[in-house]
Amino acid sequence: MIYLVLCWEFFKIGLFAIGGGLVTVPFLFDLAEKYKWFTTAELADMIAISQSTPGPIGINMATFAGYKVGGIYGGIAATLSEVLPAMIIIFMICKILDKWAENPYISRILQGIRPAVLALILYAGWDIAKISLTDYKNAGLFTALLLAMHFYPKSPIFYILLAAGAGIVFHI
Amino acid sequence: MMTGLWQIYTLFFKMGLFTFGGGYAMLPLLKHEVVEKNKWASEEELLNYYSIGQCTPGIIAVNAASFIGYKRRGLSGLITATLGVISPSIIIILLIAALLEKYMDNTYLQWAFGGIRISVIALIVDTVWKMWKSGMQNIRDYVTFVIVGLLLVFFRLSAVLIVILAAAGALLPFPPREGKKP
């Protein structure tokens, strides 16, 4: 039963891929090798499309890979299986936090991690910048967008759509 | 105050629809919709969710959504928020995989995505800029930020390791916590 195997494999990815969507990539390469569900070339295309289409990249890749194996139901089954472990674990953490949030050590740790997370977030931006901010035109658009969103705060959605338009006009 | 499940679903559907790239790309949207517009969580809580979501299994975007959903409506909120975040992906990717894969090479579409990627970097930088105050409160925080930055740039440590190290560092007695703002 291919769906059971599919669900099991994506459940495992959801359980062991710690640290975000791109971490699931090596797991998907393993699947390509183990089951021949898709070739590595197909997988590279799937990653590229998942990165540029709406939705968190890890979810997009799960849907895509599941579709290749079992059509529409495969796509849905793979995606749900991948998020299930996280839902169970986060639920348990929420229960624990409900009880322990006032604990001085826990709150000290949470407060101490915050600057580290800010650095991680900035570094994620740097990772995209390395491949996207490659010339003066792109850097100019980046600077203009950053200043606009900082001094004229609007919904991020507004700026994403604006940037899509700018991309077409300026051939980014 | 109870939040309707439908309200949770539609908000996270929107978050999923406008996230391009990894879970960090969702942070600016969450900050705007969840913290500023709906006041479902504070900025500090959002950063907490990201810290924990980093080092627990799963996609960071889904983990953050689960936390916020739980905070509003318990287990059913958690499930609803997660389903909301993943719904646009399922719809759009299935459409692309079934019908549109060949159109993805279209030049105009590629230009639009090029522009979107740049806006994602700008949104991330802007979010850190705006969250600076709530994240950086004393000299300790600045020290942590600099050390983590150096570890990332020079050693590319994984996010999990960074969070664990920062948590351990938070328990050290120095530098003193009640420092004046530099």
Side-chain angles (χ1 to χ4, degrees), chain A residues 15 17 52 54-55 57 60 98 150 172, chain B residues 16-17 19 21 57-58 70 89 113 126:
Chain A
L15 189 59
S52 49
I57 177 168
N60 290 352
D98 281 350
H150 196 78
I172 294 296
Chain B
L17 187 59
T19 297
Y70 178 85
S89 293
F113 285 141
D126 180 48

Side-chain angles (χ1 to χ4, degrees), chain A residues 14-15 17 52-55 57 60 67 82 86 93-94 98 108 111 113-114 117 121 123-124 132 149-150 157 163 167 172, chain B residues 16-21 24 27 48 51 56-58 63 70 89 96-98 111 113 115 119 124 126 129-130 156 170 172:
Chain A
L15 189 59
S52 49
T53 45
I57 177 168
N60 290 352
Y67 176 84
E82 189 175 276
I93 293 175
C94 287
D98 281 350
R108 239 175 109 168
Q111 198 195 335
I113 295 173
R114 263 176 234 150
V117 173
I121 293 165
Y123 192 68
S132 280
M149 59 186 61
H150 196 78
I157 296 169
I172 294 296
Chain B
L17 187 59
F18 286 97
T19 297
F20 290 84
Y24 292 114
L27 184 65
N48 287 349
S51 326
T56 49
N63 295 352
Y70 178 85
S89 293
I96 290 173
W111 282 334
F113 285 141
S119 72
I124 288 177
D126 180 48
W129 191 352
K130 283 175 183 153
R156 290 203 70 103
L172 294 177

Side-chain angles (χ1 to χ4, degrees), chain A residues 39-115:
Chain A
T39 65
T40 45
E42 278 180 299
L43 187 55
D45 283 347
M46 282 152 54
I47 295 168
I49 293 177
S50 300
Q51 207 145 22
S52 49
T53 45
I57 177 168
I59 301 300
N60 290 352
M61 287 192 298
T63 310
F64 221 136
Y67 176 84
K68 293 271 180 196
V69 182
I72 292 177
Y73 295 116
I76 296 172
T79 312
L80 290 176
S81 310
E82 189 175 276
V83 298
L84 188 61
M87 289 167 77
I88 298 169
I89 292 165
I90 298 288
F91 178 65
M92 295 190 310
I93 293 175
C94 287
K95 284 278 170 213
I96 295 169
L97 278 184
D98 281 350
K99 253 193 198 145
W100 292 88
E102 304 300 318
N103 179 296
Y105 287 103
I106 301 279
S107 62
R108 239 175 109 168
I109 288 175
L110 286 175
Q111 198 195 335
I113 295 173
R114 263 176 234 150

Side-chain angles (χ1 to χ4, degrees), chain A residues 151-168:
Chain A
F151 294 107
Y152 302 97
K154 278 190 175 20
S155 162
I157 296 169
F158 170 81
Y159 283 110
I160 289 170
L161 296 176
L162 186 73
I168 294 172

Side-chain angles (χ1 to χ4, degrees), chain B residues 152-171:
Chain B
L152 283 172
V153 172
F154 291 109
F155 301 103
R156 290 203 70 103
L157 288 195
S158 76
V160 188
L161 213 52
I162 292 282
V163 171
I164 293 173
L165 286 175
L171 295 174

Side-chain angles (χ1 to χ4, degrees), chain B residues 82-126:
Chain B
T82 302
L83 292 180
V85 160
I86 66 176
S87 295
S89 293
I90 293 180
I91 296 167
I92 291 166
I93 294 293
L94 287 181
L95 274 178
I96 290 173
L99 306 164
L100 304 171
E101 202 165 348
K102 55 180 180 292
Y103 296 110
M104 290 305 291
D105 290 332
N106 178 292
T107 320
Y108 290 98
L109 210 53
Q110 290 304 319
W111 282 334
F113 285 141
I116 288 173
R117 265 198 298 278
I118 290 177
S119 72
V120 170
I121 313 168
L123 282 167
I124 288 177
V125 173
D126 180 48

Side-chain angles (χ1 to χ4, degrees), chain B residues 22-90:
Chain B
Y24 292 114
M26 200 169 84
L27 184 65
L29 292 157
L30 285 177
K31 184 176 164 327
H32 182 262
E33 296 278 336
V34 173
V35 177
E36 284 155 23
K37 239 167 103 182
N38 289 299
K39 308 212 183 326
W40 285 357
S42 69
E43 228 166 67
E44 285 82 3
E45 283 172 316
L46 195 55
L47 283 178
N48 287 349
Y49 300 155
Y50 265 75
S51 326
I52 303 171
Q54 281 298 336
C55 41
T56 49
I59 314 291
I60 297 174
V62 173
N63 295 352
S66 299
F67 272 118
I68 297 161
Y70 178 85
K71 198 185 164 218
R72 300 313 301 177
R73 276 296 289 269
L75 181 57
S76 56
L78 181 152
I79 295 170
T80 308
T82 302
L83 292 180
V85 160
I86 66 176
S87 295
S89 293
I90 293 180

